[in-house]
Amino acid sequence: MEKRNILQRIFLFYYNGFKSMTVGKTLWTIIIIKLIIMFLILKPFFFPNVLKRNFKTPEERSRYVIENLTNTNK
Amino acid sequence: MVEHIDLVNWSRAQFALTAMYHWVFVPLTLGLAYIMAFMETIYVRTGDEEWKRITKFWQTLFGVNFAIGVATGLILEFEFGTNWSNYSWFVGDIFGAPLAIEGIMAFFMESTFIAIMFFGWNKVSKKFHLLSTWLVALGANLSALWILVANAWMQYPAGMHFNPDTARNEMHNFWEVLFSPVAINKFLHTITSGYVLAAVFVIGISAWFLLKGRHILMAKRSIVIASVFGLISALYLAFTGDGSAYQVAQKQPMKLAAMEGLYEGRNAAGLVVVGVLAPDKEVDNEKDPFIFKVEIPKMLSFLGYRNSEAFVPGIKDIINGGYTFVDKDGNEQIALSAEEKIKRGKIAIQALADYRNASDIGNKEEKLQQKALLDENFKYFGYGYLNNPKSIVPNVPLTFYSFRIMVGLGFLFIAFFVVILVLVMREKLTQYRWILWISVFLIPFAYIASQAGWIVAEVGRQPWVIQDILPTVAAVSRIDAGAVQVTFVLFSIIFTLLLIAEIKIMLKQIKIGPKEGGE
């Protein structure tokens, strides 16, 4: 029998593992759908990082936060 | 109705919703991983194939729970950046560092060994597989450690100083953050609550098998492991609960007062075991806070201060100040009134504004003066956003009742594990079908207890995001409340669908049972 190197063995370990899954296939489908919803829909459309989006530098961000924190009448 | 709920409340509601749903999935992972590891250890030591079959069955349910719950916590991190941007910036690396460590170390460790645990049966050696299972359990618990350290810091900010140039808190002592007494107690108490939940879960499912007359040996063996693990965990949970409450008494006296419905402080204060709060009780009226209560004399003073005669401040005392307490350096101090703290908080906020202005015009002397003023008053910084002393009072009924639900169920579980263990040892468990049914119906109560614990911790510390330093009202981003409402509804739908999926897949796997259970 042909002797495989470590990388091939790791690949085959995962390949055979995924191939022989039963309920795991359903679970992976759910995980992938969940990650797509989270990272391709929720994050870009509903959850931008407000400070990173609106300000380019850390100085601008800190200035904005200080304004927010010190202007208590807003 | 909607127009009366402002941005802060919607942002809080959204965070509470996502955190509570996230916590539906997490605790079972924490405890079940260890239960599986114990089962597999017995398999490796005895070579009994039945133990392997048992381990694989619970591993399947663990996999379902892990897969559905994984990454739900990331949504909380999305919310930090969008809804709580002031807070995210203000906490700086103190919050970011533990979360980053969690991501790099624990999550990857957990994920790597999970693959070996699921795919490695008969492919790696028995001992290496067992090691992987133990490392999955350890990894899951390490993940929880870093999250809970971050949360504990919000309850008791330690090991940091505020940098007025960047408006960020900077960590000056990592170990103080990691080993703060609040963090240690919170971590131990929270993970053991997960162990108890998992034990109740395993006993409940196994009891169902016994009721149905299926997989009897597996069910009995699982019950033995889970009841021993559950009993030890539940006793330790009570011990760490005492430690947590002690820390609350020292660091968050208002939370303790709300947990106890204690409006007027007193020496030798009793602990309310059960009670009904008067719905019309307010801070500024003289009505009796209780319609009915059963109290253990002096117990609150003893548990809170390790002295049965100690004075426990009530809600009014904390608002009015004037009582004596021991600060974190062990010195006796007279408590300031909330009004005085608000005054000092406003001085701190103004000093930050003036520091910034002085910095802009390059006035070094003024900067130093304002920095000194800010440092002097920084521990009251958050009070400066409040206008009414009464706003430091959290929701008393919610905190009070949640605390009793959590503690009551915690003690019920201790009794439950003892009863189950005794019946198992006498080989009489199957004779008492009603106990088996109780075991099944107790599963949701373990989740209720766990959620109630978080309600006590998080509602009880309101109005603070960071205790005394930043209230929710100042932490929230200035964004459109409508967007928050939309995502609130969206999350309600997504998480409910995930929960339904979890329950359906789990029920299917339980129905299939251990023999044919998939991987």
Side-chain angles (χ1 to χ4, degrees), chain A residues 22 34 47-48 63 68-69 74, chain B residues 67-68 70 82 360 385 518:
Chain A
T22 52
K34 185 168 62 177
F47 287 96
R63 182 170 286 278
N68 274 344
L69 292 178
K74 254 189 188 178
Chain B
I68 304 284
V70 75
T82 304
D360 285 346
Y385 298 98

Side-chain angles (χ1 to χ4, degrees), chain B residues 296-318:
Chain B
I296 304 175
K298 300 187 179 187
M299 189 54 97
L300 184 60
S301 290
F302 179 73
L303 293 177
Y305 298 90
R306 304 301 188 238
N307 172 0
S308 60
E309 297 300 322
F311 178 77
V312 181
I315 291 169
K316 285 186 183 177
D317 303 280
I318 298 163

Side-chain angles (χ1 to χ4, degrees), chain B residues 349-375:
Chain B
I349 292 170
Q350 189 56 49
L352 176 61
D354 294 343
Y355 176 90
R356 189 58 160 189
N357 292 336
S359 188
D360 285 346
I361 57 172
N363 186 339
K364 283 184 184 168
E365 200 180 325
E366 176 69 9
K367 260 180 83 173
L368 283 174
Q369 274 182 14
Q370 295 305 329
K371 172 81 167 58
L373 198 56
L374 176 61
D375 289 345

Side-chain angles (χ1 to χ4, degrees), chain A residues 13-14 16-18 21-24 26-27 30-31 34-35 37-39 42-43 46-51 58-59 61-66 68-72 74, chain B residues 14 63-64 67-68 70-71 74 78-79 81-83 85-86 89-90 115-116 119-120 164 166-167 349 352-353 356 360 385 478 487 490-491 494 498 505 509 518-519:
Chain A
F13 177 83
Y14 279 93
N16 291 329
F18 279 113
M21 283 190 310
T22 52
V23 68
T26 313
L27 296 175
I30 292 173
I31 290 174
K34 185 168 62 177
L35 291 175
I37 292 173
M38 280 171 61
F39 286 99
L42 290 176
K43 178 72 180 152
F46 295 100
F47 287 96
N49 186 311
V50 173
L51 293 177
E59 289 73 28
R61 287 173 204 141
S62 68
R63 182 170 286 278
Y64 172 76
V65 173
I66 287 176
N68 274 344
L69 292 178
T70 54
N71 188 354
T72 51
K74 254 189 188 178
Chain B
Q14 185 193 62
V64 175
I68 304 284
V70 75
L74 286 177
F78 292 173
E79 289 171 24
T82 304
N83 302 37
S85 60
N86 286 345
W89 185 263
F90 188 77
I116 298 169
F119 299 157
T166 58
I349 292 170
L352 176 61
R356 189 58 160 189
D360 285 346
Y385 298 98
R478 308 273 159 90
T487 45
L490 216 57
F491 283 152
I494 292 170
L498 283 175
I505 299 169
Q509 291 307 310
E519 284 168 19

Side-chain angles (χ1 to χ4, degrees), chain B residues 195-214:
Chain B
Y195 302 168
V196 169
L197 183 144
V200 172
F201 177 85
V202 170
I203 292 173
I205 305 292
S206 304
W208 183 81
F209 281 124
L210 291 180
L211 284 165
K212 295 287 166 191
R214 296 173 56 203

Side-chain angles (χ1 to χ4, degrees), chain B residues 134-163:
Chain B
W134 276 104
L135 287 174
V136 166
L138 192 67
N141 283 265
L142 274 179
S143 285
L145 169 70
W146 300 110
I147 301 286
L148 293 167
V149 162
N151 181 279
W153 183 83
M154 294 157 76
Q155 315 266 351
Y156 174 59
M160 55 74 169
H161 63 76
F162 180 67
N163 182 344

Side-chain angles (χ1 to χ4, degrees), chain A residues 69, chain B residues 80 84 86-92 94-95 150-158 160 162 167-169 251-252 378-383 385-386 458 461-475:
Chain A
L69 292 178
Chain B
F80 285 135
W84 304 98
N86 286 345
Y87 161 80
S88 295
W89 185 263
F90 188 77
V91 293
I94 293 169
F95 210 76
N151 181 279
W153 183 83
M154 294 157 76
Q155 315 266 351
Y156 174 59
M160 55 74 169
F162 180 67
R168 307 192 90 167
N169 283 286
K251 274 98 185 177
Q252 297 173 299
F378 186 72
K379 63 179 175 176
Y380 307 110
F381 190 84
Y383 285 90
Y385 298 98
L386 309 176
E458 300 304 304
R461 71 165 153 132
Q462 291 305 314
W464 306 111
V465 176
I466 307 168
Q467 184 72 36
D468 296 345
I469 300 208
L470 196 71
T472 43
V473 71

